């Protein structure tokens, strides 16, 4: 038994990454409507005020959806907000090791589930394409393991701008892209290592083949409904125009019950909660697909296990930003409720986690991989960057404990693995899931 990171991807050397800002998106949360120095009337604010004047206050979910993904003016649609010069930075942008270890996780699961002849790697919200690029580099390095496997990449992305950035990262413009804005597959290409890659706006359009799904910092941007417990029962938080201040929005409570209340558990003990129906729909779809065709899904995000209350917040230029000020210029996000994701998967597939990023990456062999890269690098600045990146990803006070990993797997993966191993090796739990237990390689 040997650890894959030591042998398999050893020859890879360090890849340049942006400098790491001191604040990242997962760190803080605010309850919103704080006074701001200036409140520019953005096109999005004008659009929202018009909407509210015409049809009345809107839910926080509708606000988030409009602000982030409105096809004409949405925050995500026309800009690259990631990295040092953007609004926030994510783990794959900080260190190549992150994507490499995730690549190993997918290969390890592919092997544990019988080495299917087809392998669809599906990423939801791929950002700049850095993570999938790092994963594919590992796949190339382990070409001998994957040699008889028909690999394809499927990216679910609503941002026109980021899909262009992803295409550049993955294809380096070696082969021209095919585009068709009207089709559910709005772009197609071939990666620099010859793997077909397709872009979709919706998971439902991705072919239902044997797939491995990845969602990193994706679920936290999906729209949430917010509820406050009152003496009259749960009341939903809405967004309205402030009657006291021109061109300003404010939070208000609905006067009566609203439909999204069905998502609140009967035994809920918190007095303020956030629910994300879109996350439920996506988890149900992933679960249905995995139950039907096998594969696995890996979700990594900041979040909690059904304990937190008000986590809705904004980020602009690596700083916390009032969610109601200058909408469309800042990222909006809310912590992922993993207990809700687990509930949505229940009965269809097995789930593992959430476990902290620190534990997951440790189990995947991050220390060994860091050592290999440090030993291979002669430049002091590169070594320093690798060490800083490691600290950012792993330090419990930084991303190490704030971020969590969660997986969906077919029921047979856990039961079958155990039975198989029991029969062959009389060793219980001999086929553990990497990351959630220490990575082992037969
Ligand atoms: N996974 C990347 C980027 C995270 S930012 C990383 O870790 O670096 C969120 C990503 O989700 C962006 O690519 C954004 O454009 C995309 N996105 C946001 N809302 C989406 C939606 N409803 N459907 C598909 N993609 C979405």
């Amino acid at each position: 038994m040997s650890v894959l990171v030591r042998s398999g991807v050893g020859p890879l050397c360090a890849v340049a990454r942006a400098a790491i800002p001191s604040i990242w998106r997962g760190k803080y949360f605010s309850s919103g409507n704080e006074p701001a120095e200036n409140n520019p009337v953005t096109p999005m604010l004008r659009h929202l005020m018009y909407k509210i004047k015409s049809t009345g206050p809107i839910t926080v979910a509708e606000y988030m959806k409009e602000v982030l993904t409105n096809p004409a003016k949405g925050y995500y649609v026309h800009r690259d907000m990631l990295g040092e010069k953007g609004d926030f930075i994510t783990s794959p942008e900080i260190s190549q090791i992150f994507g490499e270890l995730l690549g190993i996780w997918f290969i390890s699961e592919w092997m544990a589930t019988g080495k299917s002849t087809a392998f669809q790697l599906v990423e939801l919200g791929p950002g700049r394409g850095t993570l999938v690029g790092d994963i594919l580099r590992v796949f190339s390095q382990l070409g001998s393991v994957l040699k008889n496997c028909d690999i394809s990449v499927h990216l679910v992305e609503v941002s026109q701008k980021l899909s262009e950035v992803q295409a550049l990262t993955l294809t380096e413009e070696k082969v021209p892209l095919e585009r068709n804005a009207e089709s559910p597959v709005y772009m197609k290409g071939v990666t620099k290592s010859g793997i077909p890659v397709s872009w979709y706006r919706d998971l439902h359009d991705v072919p239902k083949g044997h797939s491995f799904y990845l969602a990193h910092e994706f679920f936290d941007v999906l729209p949430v409904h917010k509820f406050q417990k009152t003496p009259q029962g749960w009341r939903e938080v809405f967004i309205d125009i402030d009657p006291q201040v021109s061109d300003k929005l404010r939070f208000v409570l609905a006067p009566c019950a609203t439909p999204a209340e069905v998502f609140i558990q009967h035994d809920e003990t918190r007095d303020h909660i956030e629910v994300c129906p879109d996350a439920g729909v996506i988890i149900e779809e992933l679960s249905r697909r995995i139950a039907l065709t096998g594969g696995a899904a890996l979700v990594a995000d900041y979040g909690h296990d059904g304990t937190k209350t008000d986590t809705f917040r904004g980020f602009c230029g690596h700083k916390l930003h009032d969610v109601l000020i200058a909408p469309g210029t800042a990222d909006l996000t809310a912590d992922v409720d993993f207990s809700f994701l687990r509930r949505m998967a229940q009965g269809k597939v097995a789930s593992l986690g959430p476990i902290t990023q620190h534990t997951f990456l440790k189990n995947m062999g991050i220390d060994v991989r860091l050592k290999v890269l440090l030993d291979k690098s002669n430049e002091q600045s590169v070594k320093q960057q690798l060490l800083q990146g490691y600290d950012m990803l792993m330090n419990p006070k930084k991303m190490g404990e704030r971020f969590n990993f969660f997986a969906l797997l077919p029921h047979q993966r856990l039961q079958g693995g155990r039975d198989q191993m029991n029969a062959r090796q009389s060793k219980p739990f001999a086929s553990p899931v990497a990351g959630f237990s220490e990575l082992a390689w037969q």
Side-chain angles (χ1 to χ4, degrees):
M1 193 165 75
S2 69
V3 176
L4 178 64
V5 273
R6 195 178 293 137
S7 52
V9 291
L12 284 177
C13 57
V15 177
R17 285 291 188 270
I20 303 164
S22 58
I23 296 179
W24 66 98
R25 203 156 61 128
K27 190 173 177 187
Y28 301 107
F29 70 88
S30 94
S31 52
N33 205 3
E34 296 148 6
E37 301 262 281
N38 55 1
N39 179 22
V41 182
T42 56
M44 178 56 73
L45 179 60
R46 241 180 265 122
H47 164 71
L48 291 166
M49 303 225 334
Y50 179 74
K51 195 177 171 81
I52 294 170
K53 277 179 192 156
S54 329
T55 57
I58 56 173
T59 63
V60 173
E62 194 174 351
Y63 179 77
M64 260 182 108
K65 188 167 180 209
E66 280 296 312
V67 171
L68 295 182
T69 57
N70 176 295
K73 308 180 186 79
Y75 169 79
Y76 274 108
V77 178
H78 298 295
R79 71 179 80 196
D80 176 4
M81 69 299 294
L82 283 137
E84 204 185 346
K85 297 199 182 96
D87 293 324
F88 59 89
I89 190 151
T90 58
S91 295
E93 300 294 333
I94 289 171
S95 173
Q96 70 186 78
I97 302 179
F98 186 81
E100 290 169 356
L101 296 180
L102 265 53
I104 290 165
W105 190 86
F106 284 111
I107 296 179
S108 152
E109 274 313 293
W110 170 76
M111 292 181 81
T113 51
K115 301 186 184 177
S116 56
T117 49
F119 185 132
Q120 293 194 159
L121 177 62
V122 184
E123 186 175 3
L124 308 178
R128 278 185 177 164
T130 308
L131 180 53
V132 69
D134 287 340
I135 292 173
L136 292 182
R137 210 175 48 249
V138 172
F139 286 10
S140 294
Q141 290 290 320
L142 294 175
S144 58
V145 178
L146 292 161
K147 68 176 180 297
N148 294 323
C149 186
D150 184 12
I151 301 174
S152 55
V153 173
H154 305 263
L155 303 177
V156 180
E157 176 57 83
V158 285
S159 167
Q160 197 189 322
K161 172 71 188 174
L162 287 176
S163 63
E164 295 295 334
V165 178
Q166 292 149 20
L168 194 60
T169 308
L170 296 177
T171 68
E172 287 181 350
E173 291 180 333
K174 290 210 164 115
V175 181
L177 293 157
E178 278 177 49
R179 294 165 203 271
N180 181 355
E182 306 308 316
S183 162
V185 193
Y186 65 86
M187 205 157 73
K188 271 185 185 178
V190 179
T191 70
K192 53 198 168 197
S193 55
I195 293 172
V197 50
S198 311
W199 279 262
Y200 314 77
R201 290 183 194 87
D202 197 313
L203 171 65
H204 290 89
D205 295 321
V206 175
K208 290 190 174 64
H210 191 80
S211 300
F212 290 85
Y213 301 89
L214 172 61
H216 180 255
E217 289 219 31
F218 169 74
F219 279 97
D220 68 274
V221 301
L222 298 179
V224 294
H225 290 265
K226 285 171 84 66
F227 287 91
Q228 178 69 42
K229 199 179 260 171
T230 73
Q232 292 74 43
W234 287 103
R235 289 292 177 267
E236 184 161 3
V237 179
F238 275 67
I239 290 168
D240 196 4
I241 297 167
D242 191 332
Q244 313 288 336
V245 189
S246 66
D247 299 329
K248 194 161 187 294
L249 300 172
R250 62 166 187 168
F251 289 118
V252 292
L253 280 186
C256 53
T258 49
E261 199 181 309
V262 295
F263 289 95
I264 304 175
Q265 295 283 95
H266 295 303
D267 55 358
E268 182 56 64
T269 54
R270 290 168 287 175
D271 59 7
H272 186 103
I273 62 160
E274 294 165 343
V275 293
C276 185
D278 286 9
V281 170
I282 291 172
I283 289 290
E284 284 193 327
E285 173 69 10
L286 292 177
S287 304
R288 258 194 305 273
R289 286 169 172 240
I290 292 168
L292 200 68
T293 56
L298 189 63
V299 175
D301 223 310
Y302 41 85
H304 57 91
D305 218 6
T307 51
K308 284 198 180 171
T309 55
D310 177 12
T311 72
F312 181 40
R313 59 200 184 278
F315 280 90
C316 184
H318 299 275
K319 290 202 181 86
L320 202 58
H321 179 94
D322 187 316
V323 289
L324 298 184
I325 299 289
T329 63
D331 186 31
L332 300 179
T333 170
D335 277 19
V336 174
D337 180 350
F338 288 100
S339 69
F340 177 65
L341 303 195
R342 193 165 46 238
R343 253 190 347 261
M344 291 296 124
Q346 225 157 32
K348 300 177 204 76
V349 288
S351 64
L352 288 178
I355 59 165
T356 65
Q357 173 156 305
H358 178 94
T359 305
F360 183 88
L361 296 180
K362 205 52 150 189
N363 283 339
M364 290 302 301
I366 189 169
D367 293 321
V368 179
R369 183 67 189 135
L370 176 71
K371 186 169 181 317
V372 170
L373 287 173
L374 287 172
D375 289 349
K376 284 195 175 295
S377 166
N378 300 321
E379 281 183 50
Q380 206 46 43
S381 62
V382 173
K383 284 184 196 275
Q384 205 179 338
Q385 203 182 30
L386 286 167
L387 289 166
Q388 276 177 355
Y390 177 93
D391 180 58
M392 189 65 131
L393 297 185
M394 293 294 282
N395 190 328
K397 294 201 181 92
K398 297 182 178 173
M399 291 164 134
E401 289 202 342
R402 185 94 175 86
F403 283 76
N404 292 281
F405 278 75
F406 175 81
L408 302 176
L409 304 154
H411 284 299
Q412 315 84 281
R413 165 67 180 97
L414 301 183
Q415 294 151 8
R418 192 152 61 220
D419 296 345
Q420 254 173 21
M421 289 300 172
N422 278 343
R424 277 201 243 134
Q425 299 177 2
S426 65
K427 214 168 154 196
F429 308 109
S431 180
V433 177
F436 297 86
S437 322
E438 219 168 294
L439 174 69
W441 207 251
Q442 64 279 20

